Each structure stands twice: as C-alpha cells, then as structure tokens.
Amino acid sequence: MRKFFFSLLALLAITGAAIFYFTQDANRFKPELEALIAEQTGVPVKIEGDLGWRLFPPILLTAEKLSAEHEGRRWQLGRLALDIDVMTLIEDLDHWRIQALTIEDLTMEDGGDRLEVSHLKLEGFAFGEPALLATTLNYQPAGAPAIPLDLNGTLTYHPEPERYALSNVRFNTTDAEGICSLALQANTEPVTPAPQNADELIPVDTFREYAWQGTCTLDQLTYDDQTFTDVSIVLDNKNAVSSNDISIPVFFGGTAQVKVVIDAATTPVHWTIEPRLEKVNSQLLMEWLDQRLQWIASLAYGGTLSMTGNTEQELLASVSGETRFDGGQGQINIVKIKQQLLRIALLLNETDKVTALPDMWSYQRLVGNWRIDEQHHELDFALDNLTVLAEGDYNPETDKLDLLAELTFENNPDLPVFDINPMLMYLPIPVRCRGSIADPTCRIDDRAAQKIVASALASPDSPLHAKLEKKIEEKVPEEYQEAARAILDLLGGSREKRSREN
C-alpha cells in the first residue's frame, strides 16, 4: 500500500509539472512544430496564426493560418483542430486514436487549378480502422466550371504499405449523385514524372503512382443536359492501365454500355473505347447529338475505337477503328438522296417517279460499317435496295467534311425497291458531300450526271433511247429522221463507239 501511495504522488507531481509547462503560451513551440512537420513529411509548413492546446481529456490541439508550398502546389489552411483520445496514448503509443480531426477553409492551388475545402471532419481515426469522413469542397479546374462536392462515408488508412479504402461513400455534385466504394494503394516502384499539360484529361502521374479498384452506383448522372439513372461504374487500375466499365440500363429507350481502357504507362497515353448500344430510339439519340437527321428506328451499335494523347484535340485527331450499326426496321428521311436523283431525272426529263418518292422512307433493312483512320473515313451501308460506299476526310477541329459517295440502286424483290428509271439500276451514282458534319451540302457532279445521260442515249435498249426514237418517228419529217438519229447517236456516243469497234 505504501509503495502504491508514493507512486501515485510521483505521478501527480509529474502530471502537475507537465500541466504547468504545457499550459504556457503554445505559440513558443511554433519553430519546433514546423521543423517536426517538415522532417516527417518533407513539406515546409509555416504557422502564421495561433497555436493552442488543451491537456485535460480529450487532448485538443488547434492551429490557425497554416501555409505551405511543395512541388508547385500552394496550400493555405484557415483552422485545424485535432482531438486525440488520451486513453489510447496511455495504453499504447503505437495504437493512438484521433477522436476528431476538423479542417476549415483549406485551399490548394496547382497551376490554374484550385481546390477549396470549406469543411472536413474525420471522426474515430486509427490506423487500419474505418473512420467517419464528411467534407464539403469546391474544385475549380483551369478554364472550366467549378465542381462542388458533398461527401459522407467511411475512410480506412493503412500506413505500411500505404493504402486507403473508401466505403459506401455518399456523394452529391453538380452532375451526379450516388454511392461509391474505392480501394487505393500506392505503388512501391519509383515513377518517372510525366510531362505536365494544362489541358490534360487525366492526371498521368496519379495513374502511375497508385493502383485502385472500385464501384459506383449513380442515382443520377447528367451529361449534356440529359439525365440518366441507375448508372453503374466499375473501376480498376493496375500498373497504370485503367479499365473502366460503364453501364446505363435506360438510355433513350434502350441500353448503353461502354468499356474504356486507358494505358497511362505509355507515352503518349493510349485509349481504347468499346461502345455498345441496344434497342436505342434513334430519333431521340439524334436530337441529343444535335443531328438534323430524321430517323425513327431501334438502333444497335458497337465496335472498337483507339486514340492516343491526353487532350481533347489529340484524341479527336487520332481516332481509328471500326464500328457497326443496325437500324432494324424503321423510317428515315431520304430528301438528300431524292435531291441527287432529281438532278439526273431533270436531264432525262423524267422527274415524276423521283418526286413521288416519300420524304420519309419506310425501310426493312439499314445496316452498315464505319471505318476511321484518323481524319480518313470509309462508310459502307445498305438501305433496302440502295447501297452506299463513301470515302473521304473529316477534320474534327475545323468541322469540315469532304466525302465522295457512290449510290447504287438494286432490284431485290425481297426488299422495298426505289421506283426510279430502270436505266439507273445497278449504276454507281457519284455524290460529293462537303461542309459541316451536322448539315453537309451534297450534290452529284454535273459531268457525272451528263455521263449517265450519255450512257442512256448510247444504249438502244434503254427506255430513254426508245422514247426519243419514238419521238423522232412521230414528230420529225421522214426526210430528216436519219439526221435526227445521227444526232441522237452522237449525243450518246454510240456512233463513235461503233466506229471504233469497226
């Protein structure tokens, strides 16, 4: 009992001395604390405001107006409050627990980017154990709209090796809200810093320095004024190769899936995109894409596209790959096709059949392939009995299109047949389209149209040739009929052709 009594007196004496020492002005410890932070983190920190602490349980440390600069980033912190569970310190210094960490008015500037954290609170934090996390922040990318974010969930941190886990984190931002879980671990291998670009789409260094796996379920996602619900995202990044699977179960009446693989281990960054649409309302999709095409169908679309770079301009300039589409059965506007047929019909003096074609064509088949090699494009599709082969260039930066298409009308009785002059059947009709991708100007070349008419005149079996022969017999005096036929042959080139053959 006596030993216990003197031990208690000694503890009280030491505690009293410590209280007397530490309850003095805490600001005199600024230099030591700044040096300790710099030694432990490698980041020089300046404490411009007051330091304060309270030793009676719980231990509370407060600091105001902290600032730091490191690797081009500037930090400013309005206030920090650290509430430590004193019992964990007494029981085991290696397993201490923070009852609460509160940060207010934190800003970080990185080039033109700015992060503002108005409030962050972490409760019940200890290594390897989940802690409650809540924060409200605002991220302002350079030259882009600000992104506000409210976040609530649990955070688990393991120091050896360094890894983090966010579980069931509920977030809300301008264009999305939902729940995410993410596990992130720092790579142990040294990473060569990537060149910095203010317009870069992804932070390459982050992709190389960390590995992560995660899932998100978005109650809503708004993109380009369109809101989608129940969106699921699966994330995986290993060795700087990131795989991202996005699924939208309700997408303009159908479904949409896209797999995006980003290889940030290479320079430049390589992207692979695999889109897949099923039973999508084509008209709603065209309106969302701001395309003027009238097209009512259930659309299926898929393929693989590759790109390189890390800016929007680099990606658009490097697209290559092939996609396929199937419009099922539906209706599509064929006014631009009719306009080209009318140019030939006027030369043939047979416009009735073309003008009688409906503007909205009800079709049974619309399938095709689209191949892209940077700015060079090849399009091959079939609309019932019409096949189209198109090839040319499109510059996405200037939105300029220069495409030459060949339209060929066939006569398969199992599909709807375009009622046109029989001489145009199985004859490739060249049409050149120039202008913007949304509303190009397309027209048949005048020389090509004249050659088609000449071909009709040269063929004795063509309806036009037979019609003109009949007109000669009915309207031209007999003594001039031979001369009229000679002119007809010259127009069609048949006499010249026969003379070469002889």
Side-chain angles (χ1 to χ4, degrees), residues 291-352:
Q291 300 296 308
R292 300 182 182 181
L293 175 63
Q294 290 180 280
W295 183 16
I296 304 172
S298 179
L299 172 65
Y301 174 80
T304 302
L305 299 172
S306 298
M307 297 173 284
T308 57
N310 197 21
T311 67
E312 183 178 349
Q313 291 76 15
E314 290 173 342
L315 296 187
L316 289 175
S318 64
V319 177
S320 63
E322 181 175 356
T323 59
R324 301 165 298 280
F325 61 89
D326 186 343
Q329 300 178 0
Q331 292 180 299
I332 192 168
N333 191 298
I334 61 168
V335 168
K336 288 188 178 293
I337 296 175
K338 288 175 59 178
Q339 290 172 349
Q340 311 316 313
L341 292 176
L342 277 172
R343 295 181 63 84
I344 301 177
L346 285 171
L347 296 175
L348 298 175
N349 197 27
E350 291 185 353
T351 61
D352 293 346

Side-chain angles (χ1 to χ4, degrees), residues 340-341 344 385-390 404-410 420-432 444-445 447-453 455:
Q340 311 316 313
L341 292 176
I344 301 177
N385 273 282
L386 169 64
T387 60
V388 178
L389 299 176
L404 180 62
E406 285 190 347
L407 284 63
T408 303
F409 293 89
E410 300 176 356
I420 59 175
N421 191 306
M423 62 152 292
L424 297 179
M425 291 291 182
Y426 302 99
L427 181 67
I429 302 173
V431 177
R432 185 168 293 277
I444 186 172
D445 183 79
R447 291 186 178 180
Q450 292 169 3
K451 287 181 180 180
I452 292 173
V453 175
S455 176

Side-chain angles (χ1 to χ4, degrees), residues 202-462:
I202 64 167
V204 175
D205 286 346
T206 301
F207 277 62
R208 295 177 179 179
E209 292 172 359
Y210 294 92
W212 61 76
Q213 300 82 39
T215 60
C216 289
T217 301
L218 307 185
D219 299 330
Q220 66 176 38
L221 171 66
T222 301
Y223 180 75
D224 201 10
D225 298 328
Q226 181 67 39
T227 299
F228 306 99
T229 58
D230 299 324
V231 179
S232 66
I233 303 174
V234 179
L235 310 172
D236 184 86
N237 183 67
K238 294 178 182 177
N239 301 319
V241 179
S242 173
S243 177
N244 310 274
D245 293 283
I246 305 170
S247 177
I248 307 177
V250 181
F251 185 81
F252 298 111
T255 63
Q257 293 178 319
V258 61
K259 183 184 181 83
V260 181
V261 177
I262 306 172
D263 187 351
T266 63
T267 302
V269 179
H270 185 266
W271 303 62
T272 303
I273 301 178
E274 298 178 3
R276 182 179 178 183
L277 305 182
E278 295 288 346
K279 299 180 179 180
V280 171
N281 185 312
S282 60
Q283 188 62 50
L284 295 178
L285 180 62
M286 292 298 105
E287 292 173 358
W288 183 55
L289 296 175
D290 199 23
Q291 300 296 308
R292 300 182 182 181
L293 175 63
Q294 290 180 280
W295 183 16
I296 304 172
S298 179
L299 172 65
Y301 174 80
T304 302
L305 299 172
S306 298
M307 297 173 284
T308 57
N310 197 21
T311 67
E312 183 178 349
Q313 291 76 15
E314 290 173 342
L315 296 187
L316 289 175
S318 64
V319 177
S320 63
E322 181 175 356
T323 59
R324 301 165 298 280
F325 61 89
D326 186 343
Q329 300 178 0
Q331 292 180 299
I332 192 168
N333 191 298
I334 61 168
V335 168
K336 288 188 178 293
I337 296 175
K338 288 175 59 178
Q339 290 172 349
Q340 311 316 313
L341 292 176
L342 277 172
R343 295 181 63 84
I344 301 177
L346 285 171
L347 296 175
L348 298 175
N349 197 27
E350 291 185 353
T351 61
D352 293 346
K353 289 185 178 181
V354 175
T355 55
L357 292 173
D359 290 347
M360 290 295 294
W361 179 261
S362 297
Y363 65 84
Q364 296 296 314
R365 177 184 70 165
L366 176 54
V367 294
N369 295 299
W370 181 13
R371 290 171 290 278
I372 308 173
D373 184 7
E374 296 183 353
Q375 293 190 14
H376 191 72
H377 296 250
E378 295 180 13
L379 185 62
D380 173 6
F381 72 89
L383 173 62
D384 287 337
N385 273 282
L386 169 64
T387 60
V388 178
L389 299 176
E391 184 174 0
D393 296 326
Y394 173 67
N395 188 331
E397 188 172 352
T398 60
D399 191 28
K400 288 190 176 180
L401 174 73
D402 188 352
L403 194 74
L404 180 62
E406 285 190 347
L407 284 63
T408 303
F409 293 89
E410 300 176 356
N411 192 19
N412 183 350
D414 295 331
L415 294 169
V417 178
F418 291 85
D419 186 14
I420 59 175
N421 191 306
M423 62 152 292
L424 297 179
M425 291 291 182
Y426 302 99
L427 181 67
I429 302 173
V431 177
R432 185 168 293 277
C433 295
R434 292 187 173 98
S436 67
I437 192 70
D439 189 23
T441 299
C442 300
R443 61 177 296 167
I444 186 172
D445 183 79
D446 290 335
R447 291 186 178 180
Q450 292 169 3
K451 287 181 180 180
I452 292 173
V453 175
S455 176
L457 294 172
S459 174
D461 298 327
S462 75

